[in-house]
């Protein structure tokens, strides 16, 4: 799912999906018709009482203005708090907007034991990968140096031995780097669902992860995902174990896509049912699923064009 804009899924009634507060503020301030359905996804962990209470109050404000907001949670813990506060919605990961066609299995040599796609930010805990010798840190970062380039050694001296990208890498380059790696790393303790976690699996990579809050583990499978303690030795041993398993990358990708499609089906059925109950408009879930997910980026509108 993309930031800095919104997905316009349907008109008459208008259905907007987003996780971008700036886009939401712009739409609600400009919207003339207040029969808009907002499908709000959570970009960061909201699995606690205080955060979900704030969301409840925010949803009440939107409802008071005539909007029809719905919340989609990424984790079981978030879902329990959503239900506690009786916020309309469903547990369904924001992963569903990722286009699996952007990723695939490539015939390339494996250069790295592991890859970690992570911003140069403290919460990513990049230093936990320091015992890995052949590792690539794929970063896209607000921590870039004066030259505008990423500077991993300055940010994390413990990882000065790692390869990394100095400038931006697009999804084609990311997919190639993932395919050149044996394992994908997820090392933060808390964030949202973590897009890279899904991207690894769509590229056929097994995953080594620390325990986390935010929802990335909801798509994990014990066959190809390993959750280890948050220390460098555990990370190294976890990578060694996953490399030794020699799991078929096509199996990982196919099983991940099956999980995506299952959630997509639940998503469109929920939307269709919710719209019918609130407006008596009949939307066909089978049409919605193709309209939204065949080419999800086609429905995306940047903030400056909303």
């Amino acid at each position: 799912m993309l930031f800095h804009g919104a997905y316009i899924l349907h008109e008459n009634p208008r259905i907007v999906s987003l996780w971008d507060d700036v886009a939401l503020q712009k739409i609600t301030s400009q919207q003339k018709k207040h029969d808009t359905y907002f499908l709000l996804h959570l970009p960061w962990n909201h699995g606690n009482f205080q955060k979900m209470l704030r969301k409840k109050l925010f949803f009440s404000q939107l409802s008071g203005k005539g909007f029809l907001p719905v919340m989609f949670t990424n984790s079981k813990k978030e879902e329990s708090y959503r239900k506690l506060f009786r916020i309309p919605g469903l547990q369904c990961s924001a992963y569903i907007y990722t286009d699996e066609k952007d990723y695939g299995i490539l015939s390339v040599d494996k250069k790295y034991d592991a890859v970690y796609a992570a911003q140069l930010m403290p919460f990513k805990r990049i230093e936990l990968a320091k015992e890995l010798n052949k590792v690539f840190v794929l970063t896209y970062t607000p921590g870039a140096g004066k030259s505008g380039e990423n500077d991993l050694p300055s940010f994390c001296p413990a990882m000065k031995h790692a390869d990394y990208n100095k400038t931006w890498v697009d999804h084609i380059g990311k997919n190639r780097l993932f395919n050149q790696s044996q394992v994908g790393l997820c090392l933060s303790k808390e964030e949202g669902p973590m897009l890279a976690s899904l991207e690894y699996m769509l590229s056929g990579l097994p995953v080594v992860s620390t325990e986390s809050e935010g929802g990335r583990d909801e798509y994990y499978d014990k066959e190809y995902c390993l959750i280890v303690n948050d220390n460098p030795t555990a990370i190294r041993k976890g990578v060694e174990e996953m490399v030794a398993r020699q799991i078929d990358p096509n199996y990982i990708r196919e099983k991940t896509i099956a999980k995506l499609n299952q959630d997509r089906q639940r998503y469109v059925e929920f939307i269709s049912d919710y719209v019918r109950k609130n407006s008596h408009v009949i939307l066909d879930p089978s049409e919605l699923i193709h309209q939204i997910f065949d080419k999800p980026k086609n429905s995306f509108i940047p903030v400056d064009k909303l």
Side-chain angles (χ1 to χ4, degrees):
M1 198 168 196
L2 299 173
F3 279 106
H4 312 306
Y7 295 83
I8 310 301
L9 305 184
H10 196 272
E11 295 287 359
N12 300 318
R14 197 170 208 221
I15 305 174
V16 179
S17 178
L18 72 172
W19 65 0
D20 189 320
D21 288 342
V22 175
L24 178 62
Q25 290 172 6
K26 184 170 183 179
I27 293 172
T28 54
S29 65
Q30 295 180 348
Q31 192 78 34
K32 294 180 181 179
K33 292 174 63 180
H34 283 187
D35 57 350
T36 298
Y37 294 85
F38 285 110
L39 314 180
L40 300 175
H41 296 261
L42 302 175
W44 189 265
N45 176 40
H46 279 70
N48 68 54
F49 186 93
Q50 290 79 10
K51 285 184 178 180
M52 199 59 74
L53 174 60
R54 287 195 289 270
K55 282 296 182 185
K56 170 66 174 180
L57 296 174
F58 175 61
F59 268 55
S60 296
Q61 292 173 358
L62 288 178
S63 299
K65 295 178 180 179
F67 296 111
L68 295 162
V70 180
M71 176 185 290
F72 293 92
T73 57
N74 297 300
S75 71
K76 292 182 178 66
K77 194 171 183 180
E78 287 178 341
E79 181 68 358
S80 67
Y81 282 109
R82 180 193 69 78
K83 290 180 177 179
L84 175 67
F85 286 105
R86 299 182 180 180
I87 301 171
L90 180 75
Q91 182 182 343
C92 186
S93 176
Y95 280 162
I96 56 177
Y97 281 90
T98 304
D99 191 343
E100 63 267 29
K101 295 182 289 296
D102 287 343
Y103 306 91
I105 314 301
L106 305 178
S107 180
V108 295
D109 292 335
K110 297 291 187 181
K111 296 174 59 178
Y112 304 104
D113 294 329
V115 60
Y116 187 23
Q119 301 177 67
L120 299 187
M121 298 287 285
F123 77 91
K124 285 293 188 178
R125 305 197 296 184
I126 298 172
E127 68 280 358
L128 291 178
K130 68 182 181 181
E131 289 192 13
L132 298 172
N133 292 323
K134 296 179 180 179
V135 59
F136 194 103
V137 177
L138 175 59
T139 189
Y140 45 100
T141 175
K146 294 181 180 178
S147 63
E149 295 183 345
N150 303 314
D151 187 357
L152 176 64
S154 294
F155 176 79
C156 186
M159 294 297 293
K160 63 183 179 182
H161 64 287
D163 286 349
Y164 66 100
N165 56 303
K166 291 188 176 181
T167 56
W168 176 257
V169 176
D170 62 15
H171 72 271
I172 296 174
K174 286 202 297 184
N175 184 219
R176 183 173 181 81
L177 278 166
F178 294 157
N179 275 267
Q180 290 175 322
S181 306
Q182 301 265 25
V183 175
L185 299 176
C186 302
L187 306 180
S188 61
K189 186 175 183 179
E190 179 186 17
E191 57 179 293
M194 189 181 174
L195 174 60
S197 185
L198 178 72
E199 292 174 325
Y200 297 150
M201 294 184 284
L202 289 176
S203 301
L205 290 190
V207 171
V208 170
S209 172
T210 57
E211 292 188 2
S212 63
E213 294 190 10
R216 69 175 180 244
D217 57 329
E218 297 291 335
Y219 264 54
Y220 285 177
D221 190 297
K222 290 182 179 179
E223 291 182 280
Y224 47 82
C225 299
L226 187 63
I227 297 177
V228 300
N229 292 330
D230 52 355
N231 65 75
T233 299
I235 302 301
R236 174 178 55 78
K237 289 182 177 180
V239 169
E240 290 170 353
E241 178 179 337
M242 296 308 282
V243 170
R245 289 189 192 182
Q246 291 294 294
I247 306 163
D248 180 1
N250 288 288
Y251 177 75
I252 297 173
R253 174 177 166 82
E254 289 167 7
K255 197 161 184 180
T256 302
I257 291 174
K259 292 179 180 182
L260 275 174
N261 286 335
Q262 184 178 40
D263 271 353
R264 287 165 177 164
Q265 186 65 40
R266 292 172 55 247
Y267 187 67
V268 296
E269 288 175 357
F270 177 90
I271 293 170
S272 176
D273 187 56
Y274 193 74
V275 170
R276 178 184 56 80
K277 289 178 179 177
N278 286 279
S279 68
H280 305 295
V281 173
I282 305 299
L283 300 176
D284 184 347
S286 62
E287 291 181 7
L288 272 180
I289 203 165
H290 290 295
Q291 176 188 332
I292 298 171
F293 299 119
D294 282 355
K295 294 182 179 179
K297 288 187 282 291
N298 286 357
S299 300
F300 184 77
I301 308 295
V303 170
D304 58 0
K305 295 183 180 179
L306 285 172

